């Protein structure tokens, strides 16, 4: 996450505050949760301090990512099927 923040800035020095903020979040939430939140933020394509802090605040670090879980309707007798609409 820190590498991504520093790489996205025109001058890496501009990302130092965000990186220090991320490191400070470890004291409040723990290393394990911070790692999971950073991985989720990177998977969502939003590498920023604010995204990681929001994920930790809302306890969303272990939720499945959008598109990961495929839901399908259970099979039962009340389903009409594609032939009904033809």
């Amino acid at each position: 996450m820190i590498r991504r923040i520093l790489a996205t800035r025109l001058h890496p020095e501009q990302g130092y505050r965000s990186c220090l903020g991320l490191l400070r979040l470890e004291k409040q939430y723990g290393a394990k949760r911070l790692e999971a939140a950073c991985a989720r933020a990177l998977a969502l394509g939003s590498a920023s301090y604010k995204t990681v802090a929001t994920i930790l605040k809302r306890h969303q670090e272990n939720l499945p990512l959008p598109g990961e879980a495929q839901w399908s309707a259970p099979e039962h007798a009340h389903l009409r099927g594609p032939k009904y609409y033809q």
Side-chain angles (χ1 to χ4, degrees), residues 15-50:
Y16 287 171
R17 286 272 201 193
S18 296
C19 295
L20 288 173
L22 283 174
L23 295 174
R24 230 182 357 261
L25 288 174
E26 181 184 3
K27 293 178 184 175
Q28 186 176 359
Y29 295 104
K32 195 171 188 177
R33 286 189 65 199
L34 179 61
E35 286 291 326
C38 288
R40 181 174 177 81
L42 288 172
L44 293 172
S46 179
S48 70
Y49 166 82
K50 189 172 183 178

Side-chain angles (χ1 to χ4, degrees), residues 26-83:
E26 181 184 3
K27 293 178 184 175
Q28 186 176 359
Y29 295 104
K32 195 171 188 177
R33 286 189 65 199
L34 179 61
E35 286 291 326
C38 288
R40 181 174 177 81
L42 288 172
L44 293 172
S46 179
S48 70
Y49 166 82
K50 189 172 183 178
T51 302
V52 174
T54 302
I55 289 170
L56 289 168
K57 182 178 175 184
R58 295 181 181 174
H59 297 278
Q60 295 178 335
E61 65 271 8
N62 293 322
L63 295 178
L65 292 170
E68 265 187 10
Q70 297 293 329
W71 183 85
S72 63
E75 293 292 326
H76 55 82
H78 299 292
L79 291 178
R80 295 180 183 148
K83 293 180 182 179

